[in-house]
Amino acid sequence: MTTGTWQGRIDAADGDSGRRWHQIVQPLEPGAPPGVALLGFACDEGVRRNQGRIGASGGPQALRRALAPLAYHGSRGTPLYDAGDIECQGEDLEGAQRSLGARVAALLARGHFPMLLGGGHEIAWGSFQGTSAALERDGRLARFGVVNFDAHFDLRRGPANSGTPFRQIHDALAARGLPFRYLCLGIARAANTPALFATARDCGATWLHDEELVWPRWDAACRAIDAFVDSVDALQLSVCLDAFPAGAAPGVSAPAARGIAPDFALSLLGHLLARARHGGKGSKVVLAEVAELAPCLDPDGRTARLAGRVVYDVVSGLL
Ligand SMILES: [Mn+2]
């Protein structure tokens, strides 16, 4: 937990009902009771290798700053922790991903809900190493799935980078003889070549295009999400900020021309969380992550603000 990050306005006269996140978040200490653990992944290496615009290593800190002033509406008393950052050392992406996986596995073993703050989308391969270890223990890996809000499939073959994490997850599951269940929301035809679509089909991926994720098609989008969520017992929820239009999320490595409008995407996220009974008995969402926030490309902080709202919507139901 970085000193000086979690601070802001204090409405002392309003007592407990006037609190904001910066007054709630506490550093994660060993042996702390189960709660929500914010864990940063400060890494540019995946985006650098993928020839994208660099800057995601500053994402976790910018996200904390966006979260600090948000109003706290918790009623359950669930603790909210800052578990610090995993930092990529030099070009050692694989080492950083392994460290992230180990931290995630440890958090899950202690009963925490990991809310990961990226970092490039290579965060998803690191987090999967932790979730898969936990789900192998409790038997849910056989009915595991990923929902990814993203303009891109991120199913590329080849050396690991920010465009390969779900291919790596596919291969890891295949090596165990397990199915790959992957729903990608917001795919842009203009941003994925026919070869990448063919790869997605070969992997058994399912997806909805950006133009399908509009209010006149709300019911169809919900049906697709319901069918997917109902087909799994455990979910990794990944939100790549380039799923949003460049006007709403300019601070990413590859801004989207069209994207999913924030109100639609956040409503869909809410629908998905409810269908997965997030925060209730038998919740399927094991972990969530927000990827690709690059504050140096986000001069007025709007991308961080939107990313913070995604985190807020995922976490609020647990607090
Ligand atoms: Mn992505």
Side-chain angles (χ1 to χ4, degrees):
M1 178 154 168
T2 314
T3 333
T5 304
W6 296 108
Q7 50 184 233
R9 176 193 178 109
I10 295 177
D11 293 335
D14 294 330
D16 277 0
S17 60
R19 289 178 297 173
R20 297 168 196 281
W21 273 36
H22 67 85
Q23 293 167 276
I24 301 297
V25 173
Q26 44 188 309
L28 181 61
E29 308 285 0
V36 173
L38 305 172
L39 174 61
F41 183 65
C43 186
D44 280 322
E45 180 60 13
V47 173
R48 192 190 65 75
R49 292 187 192 177
N50 200 17
Q51 303 168 49
R53 305 193 303 165
I54 302 291
S57 62
Q61 248 343 65
L63 250 165
R64 288 185 179 91
R65 263 182 239 113
L67 292 169
L70 300 184
Y72 172 70
H73 287 270
S75 56
R76 305 183 192 191
T78 308
L80 180 56
Y81 301 112
D82 187 340
D85 285 346
I86 302 293
E87 286 175 36
C88 181
Q89 305 297 328
E91 297 181 359
D92 187 16
L93 173 59
E94 288 75 9
Q97 289 170 316
R98 269 195 306 277
S99 300
L100 179 63
R103 284 299 302 280
V104 164
L107 290 171
L108 290 170
R110 300 286 314 184
H112 299 298
F113 178 80
M115 178 69 242
L116 307 189
L117 317 175
H121 215 167
E122 65 272 18
I123 192 173
W125 170 239
S127 60
F128 174 79
Q129 293 179 45
T131 45
S132 59
L135 294 174
E136 234 167 3
R137 268 197 303 278
D138 71 18
R140 284 192 290 170
L141 193 59
R143 283 176 56 84
F144 166 79
V146 179
V147 174
N148 180 29
F149 287 78
D150 204 324
H152 312 92
F153 288 113
D154 290 350
L155 284 168
R156 286 179 184 276
R157 293 187 184 85
N161 62 43
S162 63
T164 64
F166 303 105
R167 179 75 191 196
Q168 292 171 277
I169 292 174
H170 167 276
D171 292 351
L173 290 168
R176 293 169 168 97
L178 297 175
F180 177 60
R181 296 186 180 88
Y182 180 52
L183 174 61
C184 202
L185 300 171
I187 288 297
R189 204 180 295 273
N192 297 272
T193 62
L196 294 172
F197 275 97
T199 299
R201 275 188 290 274
D202 290 346
C203 289
T206 49
W207 64 89
L208 293 173
H209 289 110
D210 49 9
E211 69 257 31
E212 294 178 279
L213 297 174
V214 291
W215 286 113
R217 301 196 185 191
W218 168 255
D219 289 346
C222 288
R223 279 197 299 276
I225 284 177
D226 293 350
F228 186 84
V229 169
D230 294 354
S231 75
V232 304
D233 290 338
L235 269 177
Q236 173 173 342
L237 174 61
S238 213
V239 178
C240 188
L241 293 167
D242 68 27
F244 294 107
V252 297
S253 64
R258 178 165 185 162
I260 319 171
D263 67 324
F264 189 91
L266 290 167
S267 297
L268 212 53
L269 174 64
H271 178 87
L272 185 158
L273 292 171
R275 188 74 179 191
R277 299 185 293 278
H278 182 58
K281 248 184 139 70
S283 175
K284 295 183 177 183
V285 185
V286 179
L287 162 148
E289 62 208 356
V290 173
E292 298 281 331
L293 175 60
C296 58
L297 304 170
D298 188 34
D300 68 1
R302 72 178 74 172
T303 316
R305 197 174 285 266
L306 180 56
R309 180 60 190 260
V310 171
V311 171
Y312 187 85
D313 283 7
V314 170
V315 166
S316 284
L318 301 173
L319 300 179

